[in-house]
Amino acid sequence: MTRQLPLAIEFRPSASFGTFFAGAKNQEAANSVQALTSGRGERYLYLWGRADVGKTHLLQAACGELHSAQQSVAYVPLAEAQDLAPEMLDGLEHMALICLDDLQAVSGDGAWEQAIFSLFNHCRDAGSRLLVAGNQPVAELPLGLADLQSRLTWGPAYHLASLSAGELPLALREMARHRRLELPAETAEYLLRRYPRDLRSLQGLLEHLDQTSLAAQRRLTVPFVREALQSLAHPAAHAPDRAAG
Amino acid sequence: MSLWTRCVARLESDLPPQQFNTWIRPLQAVEAEDEILLLAPNRFVLDWVRNHYIAQIAEFLAGFCGGHPPRLLVEIGTRSSGPEGAKPTSFSSSVSGDDRGAKRRTNNTPTNLNRSFNFDTFVEGKSNQIARAASMQIGQNPGTAYNPLFIYGGVGLGKTHLMHAIGNLIQDCNPSARVVYLHSERFVAEMVKALQHNRIDDFKRHYRTVNALLIDDVQFFAGKERSQEEFFHTFNALFESQQQIILSSDRFPKEVSGLEERLRSRFGWGLTVAIEPPDLETRVAILQSKALQLKAELPSEVAFFIGKRIRSNIRELEGALRRVLANSQFTGKPITLDFAKEALRDMLVAQDKLVTIENIQKTVAEYFQIRTSDLLSGKRSRSIARPRQIAMTLAKELTSHSLPEIGNAFGGRDHTTVLYANRQIAKLREEDPRIAEDYTNLLRTLTS
């Protein structure tokens, strides 16, 4: 049988509230972010938790929602601060929503802290909404500027927790469904037994399976998946750079 | 679907989400028949987009238009669809000259005052009653009662609230009064902009002709000599024409470092008032007042629970309250003590982790420049015994350890020693301002 070549156009579901799998522990946080986005909730929220619990996903979902409603939004990935400059925050208070991701990456950097502090003040004057995420609670971030620390505590803070072992297969099947892939329960269990259980790596696996199943015109059965993933000799090495959360 | 919308959809599918969110989403388009103007929020984003994406955008546009694409321009600016209820800044609107095609941020009532920060919503307690009384008086008699008023205190204790309250009261008494509130850092930014655009005379005129100028966090003037000089002249002009000046800082005027002496001494010409961290009763009253403003029912046992556990500052207190209210709203459950404990669990775990008896001993020893081992030793000289009593009192106040446990952690002392230390420090804080100050400083260090 001729192998069908996948088209160069791949379907990449963008981060939205609909594609966020909150599990039992993160529903309140997701609700609060959604409320802030729709203008019914707080004007400022802080989200914290370890990597891969969905902070970036929620921030980008909020941006996406307002952007498609023709509102102005800004998303600043502070983890990439070495390529950016604090001047990047100038004037952002005129946006309807500003999202600062990975705050810990600039904690202790005087120029960035000062710029974020100014942004807080300007946002308050301008009435814009602010969503900040970091890997620790505000009190534990090594911030040098006490004024910034106090402003960061000025709204509700939500801890995003990892999904439980029981929730992971459901989350994985949901992720597949958003890619319009049908992932049987036993295949999901198979993947979770053999590959790293973080959502980022799992997104990468799904992307690979998406391509191979399309090319081979096969369903995602356990035998097919086993065969398709044989090329990935070292499962842990298959970590795509695309952010899933 | 507009051309730009099609272009955005294409970019979203082509670029990694991080790049798309960071560089494409903040762009706002103003589309005309033969031109698309993209507005970037600042110079940094503008340059980045020009260097990395503009060719790709132009290529997509050409593809959509079959070879006759509209002219593509990128400039700094913002469209009118900013945050709702946005209040423009006082001066910057008239000096940002480079947002062609975008709606200018014009401004006729440049106060920046937040109406919800007034005296009715300011909860009075022992920690702020002098500051509040002086502020009331100034609000009613600006320019004559005390000039300048200098409010100092730790972060998140209500300095900004009080400043807005004075400004609002001045305007309530005299609606034509020109009251301008701004953060010192904004004063600096606006001055730099005015210099860049050759509008410094307008800037000077603007600030030297107001009836009340309220500048928050003056410690941020530190090291900015040109701004200090301009502010010095503004200060003199307002002072001489008996217009009210209100300043705030996180420390006493003389202790603000990086400021010229002539400014520092002027800051102390009028009245200087302190705001201290609120005591438990005031914290509870603040929580109840905020809940009332948010039209929520807050049982007093819950208010006491939050007030007891969150001691650092009012912002954090408000953050905790909002968290409890939001959770109750989403889940539809009533606010009970157990509900509040559950809602604040992560917050309190994080706090408990920070404040341990060992941490208190270490912080107190460093503060008084003695050794931690001295605190645990049998030494009874006052230079050791007093810090030890303070450390025991802080351990009682900030941790949930019992008196015997605290005594044990201080070199195996009896629980009655801890009790005595607590009473002794409470008494000394009333009598000796230095001990009161040491205690407050340590409390702030340990809880912020």
Side-chain angles (χ1 to χ4, degrees):
Chain A
M1 192 173 82
T2 321
R3 189 179 138 99
Q4 184 185 356
L5 289 173
L7 285 172
I9 307 162
E10 57 167 318
F11 175 70
R12 286 209 291 222
S14 54
S16 70
F17 292 120
T19 57
F20 182 74
F21 189 89
K25 294 180 210 139
N26 299 331
Q27 196 57 53
E28 279 166 22
N31 288 343
S32 288
V33 174
Q34 239 174 319
L36 174 141
T37 310
S38 65
R40 289 178 290 110
E42 300 290 334
R43 292 205 158 274
Y44 160 67
L45 287 181
Y46 180 78
L47 304 177
W48 64 276
R50 50 181 279 271
D52 195 51
V53 287
K55 304 186 294 294
T56 301
H57 187 120
L58 283 179
L59 262 53
Q60 294 189 351
C63 282
E65 187 138 316
L66 283 189
H67 190 235
S68 47
Q70 306 293 318
Q71 295 213 50
S72 53
V73 293
Y75 169 82
V76 184
L78 294 168
E80 292 170 21
Q82 73 279 5
D83 297 326
L84 310 173
E87 290 76 44
M88 188 181 171
L89 305 185
D90 288 353
L92 292 191
E93 68 274 15
H94 299 298
M95 300 289 189
L97 171 72
I98 303 104
C99 294
L100 305 181
D101 204 356
D102 288 313
L103 182 66
Q104 73 283 354
V106 294
S107 298
D109 180 317
W112 273 103
E113 286 193 11
Q114 176 69 52
I116 296 171
F117 172 66
S118 302
L119 181 65
F120 252 92
N121 293 328
H122 299 170
C123 283
R124 193 180 56 190
D125 292 345
S128 37
R129 282 165 272 171
L130 196 56
L131 201 45
V132 183
N135 67 352
Q136 296 178 88
V138 172
E140 287 177 33
L141 287 172
L143 291 163
L145 191 60
D147 302 74
L148 174 60
Q149 190 144 29
S150 105
R151 269 158 183 78
L152 285 165
T153 58
W154 209 352
Y158 286 91
H159 177 221
L160 290 184
S162 303
L163 296 177
S164 68
E167 287 169 339
L168 270 172
L170 298 174
L172 184 59
R173 296 186 70 196
E174 269 297 291
M175 272 156 48
R177 199 175 59 78
H178 293 306
R179 293 179 162 271
R180 297 172 195 158
L181 274 176
E182 204 204 314
L183 184 70
E186 64 274 18
T187 313
E189 297 284 356
Y190 173 85
L191 288 172
L192 287 167
R193 274 198 305 275
R194 280 169 180 71
Y195 289 88
R197 294 175 150 222
D198 65 287
L199 297 179
R200 250 172 246 243
S201 307
L202 293 170
Q203 278 280 20
L205 277 184
L206 282 181
E207 198 164 317
H208 181 79
L209 292 173
D210 197 355
Q211 299 272 335
T212 42
S213 70
L214 180 64
Q217 295 270 294
R218 296 268 306 271
R219 286 170 181 274
L220 294 177
T221 57
V222 173
F224 171 73
V225 165
R226 189 185 299 134
E227 186 189 328
L229 295 179
Q230 258 170 7
S231 56
L232 305 173
H234 303 287
H238 186 80
D241 56 4
R242 282 241 330 273
Chain B
M1 196 191 268
S2 77
L3 260 184
W4 175 243
T5 313
R6 286 172 72 188
C7 194
V8 167
R10 183 70 195 275
L11 288 162
E12 183 169 13
S13 72
D14 277 24
L15 295 174
Q18 189 94 320
Q19 283 183 34
F20 175 75
N21 276 290
T22 311
W23 305 109
I24 306 301
R25 280 215 162 119
L27 301 176
Q28 295 173 277
V30 179
E31 292 185 64
E33 204 174 308
D34 56 352
E35 183 181 289
I36 292 185
L37 171 67
L38 295 181
L39 297 168
N42 54 50
R43 166 75 48 197
F44 194 87
V45 174
L46 174 105
D47 288 344
W48 194 286
V49 169
R50 271 196 185 140
N51 293 336
H52 297 84
Y53 303 111
I54 206 72
Q56 200 174 358
I57 293 173
E59 195 183 305
F60 289 157
L61 289 177
F64 297 144
C65 298
H68 298 287
R71 203 153 65 100
L72 182 61
L73 299 167
V74 200
E75 292 183 3
I76 299 171
T78 170
R79 230 172 32 196
S80 54
S81 71
E84 56 279 5
K87 278 189 208 153
T89 58
S90 49
F91 183 73
S92 58
S93 55
S94 52
V95 291
S96 66
D98 48 3
D99 48 354
R100 198 186 67 113
K103 187 180 166 188
R104 282 181 185 256
R105 302 191 279 276
T106 53
N107 185 22
N108 298 321
T109 50
T111 69
N112 279 339
L113 287 176
N114 182 336
R115 294 296 298 175
S116 66
F117 286 170
N118 53 49
F119 284 107
D120 291 340
T121 54
F122 187 88
V123 177
E124 185 179 352
K126 217 165 141 189
S127 56
N128 59 29
Q129 60 192 12
I130 297 173
R132 184 181 183 275
S135 299
M136 276 286 249
Q137 212 171 336
I138 288 168
Q140 287 155 352
N141 306 291
T144 50
Y146 306 105
N147 207 12
L149 172 70
F150 192 100
I151 306 170
Y152 78 98
V155 291
L157 298 181
K159 301 188 295 290
T160 304
H161 186 141
L162 210 45
M163 293 178 88
H164 281 271
I166 303 172
N168 283 319
L169 184 57
I170 294 176
Q171 279 207 317
D172 290 345
C173 297
N174 175 11
S176 62
R178 293 183 57 215
V179 180
V180 170
Y181 162 87
L182 77 168
H183 195 266
S184 63
E185 175 270 334
R186 169 135 284 196
F187 184 90
V188 174
E190 291 190 358
M191 197 189 81
V192 171
K193 234 179 196 175
L195 285 168
Q196 278 172 353
H197 292 87
N198 258 339
R199 304 275 304 267
I200 193 69
D201 288 338
D202 293 348
F203 176 87
K204 288 178 179 174
R205 201 173 314 119
H206 179 80
Y207 285 110
R208 292 181 193 180
T209 55
V210 299
N211 300 113
L213 180 61
L214 292 66
I215 306 250
D216 213 347
D217 285 330
V218 291
Q219 71 273 18
F220 285 96
F221 276 136
K224 300 181 178 90
E225 287 166 21
R226 182 75 172 82
S227 302
Q228 285 186 30
E229 172 158 1
E230 182 47 42
F231 184 63
F232 174 76
H233 294 300
T234 305
F235 185 102
N236 289 345
L238 293 176
F239 187 81
E240 278 158 25
S241 56
Q242 292 194 318
Q243 306 305 332
Q244 183 66 45
I245 303 157
I246 299 163
L247 308 164
S248 84
S249 172
D250 62 350
R251 62 208 87 165
F252 194 71
K254 291 267 177 235
E255 290 168 8
V256 183
S257 56
L259 285 190
E260 288 179 40
E261 188 47 43
R262 57 181 184 171
L263 261 187
R264 258 207 299 245
S265 74
R266 272 166 178 73
F267 287 173
W269 276 0
L271 180 70
T272 299
V273 289
I275 300 191
E276 298 288 340
D279 50 32
L280 175 65
E281 290 76 8
T282 312
R283 295 200 293 273
V284 170
I286 289 169
L287 284 165
Q288 280 166 337
S289 156
K290 300 256 184 220
L292 198 66
Q293 282 170 49
L294 297 165
K295 299 188 175 56
E297 287 261 341
L298 185 70
S300 76
E301 57 171 1
V302 176
F304 267 93
F305 169 74
I306 302 175
K308 260 188 201 158
R309 298 302 304 265
I310 304 214
R311 312 170 188 86
S312 57
N313 67 52
I314 297 166
R315 284 201 193 116
E316 198 161 356
L317 215 51
E318 190 174 346
L321 174 67
R322 284 174 178 273
R323 169 83 190 252
V324 173
L325 297 184
N327 277 17
S328 149
Q329 204 185 342
F330 289 131
T331 57
K333 289 183 186 161
I335 298 172
T336 60
L337 189 56
D338 286 340
F339 181 84
K341 281 182 182 167
E342 181 58 28
L344 298 176
R345 200 162 36 106
D346 344 318
M347 209 168 160
L348 299 176
V349 166
Q351 199 183 39
D352 289 347
K353 244 195 307 186
L354 286 178
V355 188
T356 60
I357 296 184
E358 292 76 42
N359 194 4
I360 291 171
Q361 289 170 338
K362 192 169 152 278
T363 310
V364 171
E366 273 170 19
Y367 184 88
F368 289 104
Q369 297 181 328
I370 56 176
R371 286 192 299 264
T372 311
S373 57
D374 289 337
L375 291 176
L376 313 186
S377 71
K379 290 181 190 165
R380 298 172 77 169
S381 67
R382 181 167 291 185
S383 63
I384 303 290
R386 198 68 85 219
R388 186 186 295 131
Q389 287 177 328
I390 290 182
M392 286 178 174
T393 311
L394 286 165
K396 169 80 175 55
E397 167 81 19
L398 298 179
T399 71
S400 46
H401 290 290
S402 65
L403 294 177
E405 280 169 341
I406 295 172
N408 206 25
F410 279 83
R413 288 179 157 77
D414 192 72
H415 79 275
T416 52
T417 313
V418 183
L419 201 58
Y420 174 74
N422 269 264
R423 290 191 184 135
Q424 187 69 6
I425 294 302
K427 185 165 150 270
L428 286 170
R429 281 174 64 201
E430 295 282 335
E431 294 166 359
D432 185 344
R434 274 176 312 172
I435 293 203
E437 196 187 331
D438 289 341
Y439 188 84
T440 311
N441 289 343
L442 283 162
L443 195 64
R444 196 183 301 148
T445 310
L446 286 162
T447 55
S448 63

